[in-house]
Amino acid sequence: MHTQERARPRSVAEVEDDAVLDSHRSRLKVMDLPFSRPAWAGALAVFALALVLRLWGLGSITELIFDETYYVKDGYALTQEGVEMAWPDEHDAVFERGEVDTYEDRGAYVVHPSAGKWVIGAGTMLLGADNPWGWRISVAVLGSLSVLMTARIGRRLFRSTTVGLIAGLLLAVDGMHLVHSRTSLLDLVLMFFALAAFGALLIDRDHFREGLALHTARLHLAAVTPQPTGSATGSRAIPHPGTTYRAGLRPWRLVAGVMLGLACSVKWSGIYFLAVFGIMTVLWDWWARRTAGQRSWAWVGLVRDAIPAFFAMVGTAVVVYVASWAGWFAGDKGYYRHWASEEGHGTGFGPLDALASLWHYHRQAYDFHIGLDSEHPYMADPWGWTLMLRPTNFYYRGYEYGEQGCEVANCSSHILSVGNPLIWWLGTLALLITVMLAIRFRDGRAWAALAGIAAGYLPWMLYADRTIFTFYAVVFEPWLVLCLAYVLGLVIGKRDADPDRRLAGGLFAGSLLTLIVLVSAFFWPIWTGQVIDTEQWQWRMWLPGWT
């Protein structure tokens, strides 16, 4: 005989308690984000699409493409010697035919840290340095994972599975991201770690607000309500511990610190993400404490949130960055490894001399970066990056009939790091709309999406007179597609909007996404080096700056 348990009736007090907690959660914009099989299925679907597009024919180009000539060889040397080694001049052809252990017995002068090259080197360890799959597999996998992360980050940031999936799809099919994912350069690796840090800080933000909402609800129910904002006497004394929320250990901030340390260990431009995201997470905490009515919220936020955040993020990032030079410290072949002792600046204490040598190395590399102003045919002013006015040519070969499967008089094989024009042109418009919405409505979601743009794009405006390239834009691309997905989400409308309005918005967004995918299919040959009729290649050169 089966018995059926009846749910225990809830008391009036329990209902009131839940209502108080819901009220505080609503004020702090805390929303449930439950596990969802459809959401995960959609995210994994766009991840699978990204993986197929990035792995399909990955080794078809058997030459080192563009700056792979530096980073693939450096990555391999790191796996063998722990530092980047010098290579003979004009050595690509030798490396490409499989003679990979032909570097010289001296360290190379390099101007970027080693973490990104270690990532590339890991692929050569897995699949071998004597084939293109080994050169590119690591970056291809990170590129695909960044699509999955973008879909999940978009869902958490905008509290919308649809917006998250739109962002993931846009990144999956875009040419800028696709070309970088299929080519072993450092910029996509930097983007991956910065994006991972952003996701970690979003999780930390949500956990902090959830805990703060619970804390203030308990104070309310215990009739120990803090003084409202602005009623403090001006004293900077920290309120009684019983009324001040203590967040405790925040592991996701430590994760973000590790990721940002790795970003800086790929390229120094990662420091901009460390600075912007550090400010962002502190502002989030201050806003939450102020909104919750915490007494002396600014001072409390400084002592309990900002200072610990500095040590958790900046401190962790510094440790990770120094650790990324472990191979240089451990060996004797690293460039400038013994500069201090050789140039008469030694103290006789090995670790201190090593740090002095490393500091000198960094000063030399910094001087190189700020003084790089030589002309290059593909250098591009950063104001035109998002409009794809002058994308970077990674690879081009011309063929005649009978060569490499060419079946017409003239064929072209091209890898151009140009983004899907619809994504980038509409993304630029969406970026401007997002700025207006962030200012007009003080939309925190918009400001968060703009943070990645501020860190990855705006600093380059200060270096417009340097030799810089449009392909650097891949670093902030996830935040650009988040802005575009955000605007498309507004076009579709909220779940409780008028059904006819949502239907119209959904049809418009769906039609636009379909057109974007079709444009990506059209540009696929010039993103992957396919051998096509030169006339067809010309059809894809939409702007004069693309040739």
Side-chain angles (χ1 to χ4, degrees):
M1 182 177 180
H2 298 283
T3 59
Q4 182 178 1
E5 293 187 9
R6 293 184 178 180
R8 181 177 64 86
R10 304 181 69 211
S11 66
V12 173
E14 288 175 327
V15 173
E16 290 179 346
D17 289 355
D18 287 348
V20 170
L21 178 58
D22 288 343
S23 174
H24 285 282
R25 293 178 82 244
S26 177
R27 288 177 63 194
L28 291 172
K29 301 186 186 302
V30 178
M31 300 181 187
D32 291 324
L33 200 66
F35 174 81
S36 168
R37 286 190 176 88
W40 267 109
L44 291 174
V46 295
F47 167 69
L49 172 64
L51 194 63
V52 169
L53 294 177
R54 282 145 185 79
L55 296 183
W56 188 277
L58 184 64
S60 59
I61 305 296
T62 58
E63 303 174 44
L64 293 169
I65 298 170
F66 196 48
D67 281 352
E68 282 186 341
T69 183
Y70 306 114
Y71 304 132
V72 170
K73 289 185 289 188
D74 283 347
Y76 175 70
L78 279 165
T79 67
Q80 304 302 303
E81 303 289 344
V83 294
E84 298 90 338
M85 302 298 286
W87 295 81
D89 294 337
E90 305 296 330
H91 202 65
D92 284 4
V94 176
F95 190 90
E96 290 162 358
R97 64 173 179 257
E99 298 177 33
V100 296
D101 292 313
T102 49
Y103 49 81
E104 299 175 357
D105 190 29
R106 58 186 177 91
Y109 173 64
V110 296
V111 294
H112 294 302
S114 60
K117 290 168 278 189
W118 271 112
V119 169
I120 295 169
T124 66
M125 294 176 66
L126 179 66
L127 300 179
D130 57 350
N131 77 86
W133 278 87
W135 307 342
R136 301 173 185 136
I137 186 65
S138 295
V139 179
V141 170
L142 291 191
S144 303
L145 288 173
S146 68
V147 170
L148 176 62
M149 287 197 303
T150 299
R152 299 300 294 175
I153 286 171
R155 179 176 187 258
R156 178 172 290 274
L157 176 61
F158 298 111
R159 293 300 193 268
S160 169
T161 298
T162 300
V163 171
L165 292 180
I166 289 174
L169 176 64
L170 292 171
L171 198 63
V173 302
D174 180 63
M176 171 77 76
H177 192 274
L178 179 70
V179 168
H180 272 272
S181 299
R182 295 171 60 91
T183 313
S184 280
L185 306 187
L186 301 181
D187 303 88
L188 186 133
V189 183
L190 166 59
M191 178 272 289
F192 176 86
F193 289 131
L195 183 63
F198 183 76
L201 291 174
L202 275 177
I203 297 173
D204 171 78
R205 181 203 67 175
D206 290 350
H207 287 182
F208 178 82
R209 292 183 182 179
E210 186 73 58
L212 180 59
L214 181 60
H215 176 82
T216 52
R218 286 171 175 169
L219 289 178
H220 180 96
L221 292 170
V224 189
T225 307
Q227 295 180 10
T229 303
S231 63
T233 62
S235 171
R236 282 195 168 186
I238 298 176
H240 188 276
T243 61
T244 302
Y245 176 57
R246 299 169 182 264
L249 182 65
R250 299 173 69 166
W252 285 106
R253 268 191 176 162
L254 293 175
V255 172
V258 171
M259 293 296 105
L260 291 167
L262 288 170
C264 294
S265 302
V266 175
K267 276 190 169 184
W268 288 352
S269 50
I271 197 171
Y272 299 122
F273 286 96
L274 178 60
V276 172
F277 289 175
I279 294 170
M280 177 185 72
T281 189
V282 170
L283 291 178
W284 279 345
D285 288 353
W286 268 338
W287 177 89
R289 287 191 183 276
R290 182 179 184 276
T291 302
Q294 291 269 296
R295 185 171 54 189
S296 302
W297 57 268
W299 176 248
V300 173
L302 175 65
V303 174
R304 298 204 184 281
D305 304 326
I307 294 175
F310 177 85
F311 287 104
M313 295 176 61
V314 177
T316 302
V318 170
V319 171
V320 170
Y321 181 81
V322 174
S324 74
W325 288 84
W328 186 89
F329 282 113
D332 293 320
K333 296 180 179 180
Y335 201 84
Y336 280 139
R337 176 62 181 83
H338 298 290
W339 173 85
S341 58
E342 292 173 354
E343 298 297 324
H345 301 287
T347 64
F349 183 58
L352 187 59
D353 290 349
L355 288 174
S357 298
L358 185 62
W359 177 251
H360 177 74
Y361 195 163
H362 279 61
R363 289 181 59 186
Q364 296 298 310
Y366 177 76
D367 289 342
F368 169 85
H369 283 302
I370 64 174
L372 186 62
D373 57 1
S374 57
E375 291 292 324
H376 191 285
Y378 287 96
M379 62 189 298
D381 190 298
W383 291 104
W385 287 1
T386 62
L387 298 176
M388 292 291 123
L389 300 181
R390 187 58 172 163
T392 313
N393 177 27
F394 278 19
Y395 172 90
Y396 181 85
R397 296 290 183 272
Y399 299 109
E400 296 180 352
Y401 179 79
E403 297 178 333
Q404 299 295 318
C406 179
E407 298 180 351
V408 295
N410 295 287
C411 292
S412 298
S413 174
H414 197 188
I415 297 178
L416 182 67
S417 63
V418 62
N420 181 311
L422 288 184
I423 292 176
W424 283 87
W425 296 343
L426 292 174
T428 302
L429 178 61
L431 175 59
L432 298 176
I433 294 173
T434 303
V435 170
M436 290 189 293
L437 293 174
I439 296 173
R440 174 66 179 83
F441 298 104
R442 300 180 182 180
D443 191 333
R445 302 169 302 169
W447 282 117
L450 292 171
I453 307 289
Y457 185 28
L458 293 186
W460 290 110
M461 302 298 182
L462 304 175
Y463 301 100
D465 56 341
R466 274 190 45 195
T467 307
I468 53 179
F469 305 92
T470 300
F471 74 83
Y472 296 170
V474 74
V475 174
F476 63 83
E477 182 176 0
W479 292 274
L480 184 80
V481 299
L482 283 171
C483 289
L484 180 51
Y486 167 57
V487 173
L488 288 176
L490 295 178
V491 170
I492 295 171
K494 296 181 179 180
R495 196 173 288 181
D496 57 354
D498 179 76
D500 291 338
R501 183 241 187 273
R502 276 181 58 84
L503 176 61
L507 289 174
F508 174 81
S511 300
L512 182 60
L513 291 172
T514 301
L515 181 58
I516 286 172
V517 171
L518 292 175
V519 170
S520 288
F522 178 72
F523 280 98
W524 169 263
I526 65 166
W527 292 338
T528 57
Q530 304 292 310
V531 178
I532 60 174
D533 184 341
T534 297
E535 184 179 358
Q536 294 185 24
W537 169 79
Q538 291 172 340
W539 292 347
R540 291 162 173 84
M541 299 296 105
W542 285 9
L543 297 178
W546 293 13
T547 58

